[in-house]
Amino acid sequence: MNVDVLLGLQWGDEGKGKIVDVLTPDYDIVARFQGGPNAGHTLEFGRQKYVLRSVPSGVFQGGKVNIIGNGVVLDPALFKAEIESLEVSGYNLTKKIFISRKAHLILPTHRLLDLAYETQKGTGRIGTTGKGIGPAYTDKISRNGLRIGDIEYHFEEKYKKAIVHHEELLRQMNFKYDLASLEKEWLEGINCIKRFKWVDSDHFINKKLQEGKKVLAEGAQGTMLDIDFGSYPFVTSSNTICAGACTGLGIAPSKIGEVYGIFKAYCTRVGSGPFPTELTDETGQKMRDLGYEYGSVTGRPRRCGWIDLVALRYAIMINGVTQLIMMKSDVLDAFDVIKVCVAYEIGGHRIEDFPFEIDNTVKPIYVELPGWKTDMTKMQREDKFPKEFKNYLSFLEEILGVKIKIISVGPDRGQTIVCCL
Ligand code: GDP
Ligand code: IMO
Ligand code: MG
């Protein structure tokens, strides 16, 4: 069997959590392969809403194995809080979640370093989620990181060594902090992690594939936030793309099956960095209001703009997307005219390939399409789609070269249409 991968094609928050939950019944295993608690994956069903950060989005469908892969960075304190809040809602996940021994730990000082580096950058700050993601991956790459498996091997010694080094860095930056309370909740988190089954997720997943089990790899963030291919340096610190599923789970590229690329019918971004189609006017505000575009983790207002097919085509290419999933089309229900960015104008030239540098001289070239002016939120069947909506879909499919197989028309699990035509 193959591993199917579901990942974001824009700047994150495309609706990955919702669709992983919808697709989970078709799979035996759901596995997160990168990122950490910078993610906020929202799921809604039975009038309840859940926001998952490190917990994979397959936990609400019965009898599935959920894996936190080696490519993930895990904060014990935030993981404990997440697990406890799900327990309050009646979900005991101790037997459902397996954690890779090779996943790296986010230390309390990583969070402090994240804040210190952001403060130092001043107006050039990235606008991180402040969860210590960059510093934790930095330690991983510089071979100073602590892994889940280290909890059983000379842990105290390794932990203290790392903290001494981090405190030295914080002192150099003149950053004031209080480590004691952070450390207390972090160590309680370590005890929580000990309650879960740790696995060599690489061996585990490959054996399951040999047994014919189906695996869905769940991405976090989005392609335009990828450390290599995103709008560097305004990116996250991991490979959010399809290749990240191979390195983040220990599966060979030949084992990748379907690649589900998920995008919003428009665009959003949280934090700093280029965003060619951003709307800072009342149209952008209308999208934010109708789409409730506020960060699921930080509550920050998301920047909004029209769909960008230059960036989307690039993301599809990098990931080898085989099926597209369009989210939040209902947010555009009220618009008379919908704009689609098909190319950029840079220095008087029309550019269709996503360029190395995006600055404020990049001008989007738009095609205007008529809005469908129909309430899509109760729509259940594609043969009932208004003709303007069908027109929007076929326009995108034509330029993107991949079929849109799933359409989401509201946050609830049930507001999802799988296209068969
Ligand atoms: P993720 O990080 O990719 O899982 O996405 P987030 O959960 O951060 O953000 C997506 C937001 O849109 C959440 O609040 C979802 O409940 C909501 N959502 C998902 N799909 C739809 C949809 O089709 N329509 C509307 N209106 N909201 C949606
Ligand atoms: P999900 O999985 C949207 C953004 C931050 C910041 C940049 C770097 O919910 O789609 P980091 O804390 O990772 O060092 O921040 O990346 N960012 C996200 N934006 N959705 C996310 O995750 C994000 N995770 C990080 O806002 O601009
Ligand atoms: Mg999110």
Side-chain angles (χ1 to χ4, degrees):
M1 271 295 169
N2 286 331
V3 176
D4 295 342
V5 183
L6 183 141
L7 45 79
L9 296 178
Q10 296 162 321
W11 281 279
D13 301 329
E14 296 89 349
K16 299 173 288 295
K18 168 181 165 166
I19 297 297
V20 169
D21 171 64
V22 167
L23 295 178
T24 295
D26 292 340
Y27 292 88
D28 302 291
I29 297 174
V30 174
R32 271 280 303 270
F33 59 88
Q34 46 68 235
N38 48 349
H41 293 181
T42 315
L43 292 80
E44 281 191 42
F45 53 89
R47 295 178 185 275
Q48 296 293 322
K49 177 171 160 174
Y50 304 92
V51 180
L52 302 179
R53 292 168 149 196
S54 301
V55 167
S57 301
V59 289
F60 297 114
Q61 306 275 13
K64 310 293 176 182
V65 170
N66 286 267
I67 296 181
I68 296 178
N70 61 277
V72 171
V73 285
L74 194 63
D75 182 324
L78 295 179
F79 181 67
K80 177 173 179 275
E82 192 174 343
I83 293 296
E84 285 175 353
S85 107
L86 289 165
E87 270 168 5
V88 169
S89 304
Y91 294 94
N92 185 332
L93 302 180
T94 325
K95 293 207 165 61
K96 281 192 163 185
I97 299 177
F98 294 5
I99 307 175
S100 168
R101 283 194 182 83
K102 293 193 177 103
H104 277 245
L105 287 164
I106 301 177
L107 306 191
T109 38
H110 283 142
R111 259 200 260 174
L112 297 171
L113 283 167
D114 195 355
L115 300 177
Y117 289 134
E118 283 286 87
T119 310
Q120 217 178 33
K121 280 186 196 292
T123 51
R125 70 182 170 274
I126 294 163
T128 72
T129 57
K131 299 290 178 282
I133 305 297
Y137 277 116
T138 301
D139 273 353
K140 171 178 175 174
I141 300 301
S142 65
R143 296 158 295 181
N144 292 313
L146 256 79
R147 301 186 290 177
I148 294 290
D150 290 324
I151 294 174
E152 283 177 342
Y153 296 98
H154 309 289
F155 184 56
E156 226 168 284
E157 189 186 315
K158 288 179 189 166
Y159 173 76
K160 284 204 174 119
K161 193 169 162 206
I163 296 289
V164 167
H165 174 58
H166 294 162
E167 290 208 277
E168 179 55 34
L169 294 173
L170 290 164
R171 249 192 309 276
Q172 281 167 16
M173 285 186 279
N174 246 333
F175 190 79
K176 300 279 166 280
Y177 59 92
D178 170 21
L179 183 58
S181 60
L182 282 179
E183 201 162 48
K184 183 174 174 290
E185 58 177 29
W186 193 84
L187 290 169
E188 287 165 5
I190 291 288
N191 286 332
C192 170
I193 285 178
K194 286 182 182 165
R195 284 181 12 222
F196 286 79
K197 190 168 165 57
W198 302 351
V199 287
D200 294 317
S201 55
D202 33 14
H203 288 297
F204 183 90
I205 292 177
N206 280 289
K207 280 197 185 117
K208 293 290 177 196
L209 290 174
Q210 268 173 6
E211 288 167 15
K213 302 285 190 224
K214 290 182 75 183
V215 180
L216 178 63
E218 174 181 4
Q221 291 77 57
T223 302
M224 303 316 288
L225 290 171
D226 180 270
I227 184 75
D228 282 285
F229 301 103
S231 43
Y232 193 87
F234 300 99
V235 292
T236 190
S237 297
S238 65
N239 279 120
T240 60
I241 57 166
C242 185
C246 295
T247 57
L249 295 176
I251 46 166
S254 57
K255 294 267 166 47
I256 301 290
E258 296 294 331
V259 181
Y260 301 108
I262 182 163
F263 66 99
K264 283 179 190 171
Y266 50 101
C267 258
T268 64
R269 173 164 204 169
V270 222
S272 330
F275 181 0
T277 60
E278 180 171 14
L279 296 166
T280 49
D281 56 8
E282 68 275 14
T283 309
Q285 187 58 41
K286 187 171 166 183
M287 285 179 185
R288 188 172 305 113
D289 291 343
L290 293 171
Y292 194 68
E293 293 296 357
Y294 295 90
S296 354
V297 172
T298 56
R300 290 180 291 177
R302 294 177 185 145
R303 300 155 65 194
C304 297
W306 296 115
I307 196 163
D308 179 345
L309 298 191
V310 180
L312 212 44
R313 225 179 12 238
Y314 177 68
I316 289 170
M317 175 186 80
I318 296 288
N319 291 298
V321 171
T322 60
Q323 300 191 31
L324 285 169
I325 301 173
M326 186 169 90
M327 308 299 289
K328 303 191 92 160
S329 30
D330 53 298
V331 174
L332 300 184
D333 287 356
F335 287 78
D336 294 323
V337 169
I338 295 170
K339 291 192 188 183
V340 177
C341 167
V342 291
Y344 298 151
E345 191 196 303
I346 306 176
H349 300 285
R350 182 186 168 99
I351 304 289
E352 292 185 357
D353 286 343
F354 194 75
F356 172 76
E357 184 74 30
I358 300 271
D359 57 25
N360 47 18
T361 64
V362 173
K363 288 201 195 80
I365 299 174
Y366 289 113
V367 167
E368 294 191 1
L369 299 177
W372 42 89
K373 306 290 295 226
T374 307
D375 177 7
M376 295 292 287
T377 56
K378 292 177 189 69
M379 194 69 70
Q380 291 288 322
R381 288 171 39 187
E382 65 191 294
D383 56 358
K384 297 269 191 260
F385 287 165
K387 76 172 187 319
E388 293 83 1
F389 187 72
K390 283 190 196 152
N391 183 36
Y392 189 68
L393 294 178
S394 42
F395 187 85
L396 299 190
E397 285 178 340
E398 172 77 23
I399 293 190
L400 299 174
V402 184
K403 281 267 170 221
I404 300 174
K405 289 287 177 65
I406 299 178
I407 292 164
S408 174
V409 291
D412 192 84
R413 207 185 244 175
Q415 291 172 297
T416 313
I417 303 161
V418 179
C419 300
C420 308
L421 294 178

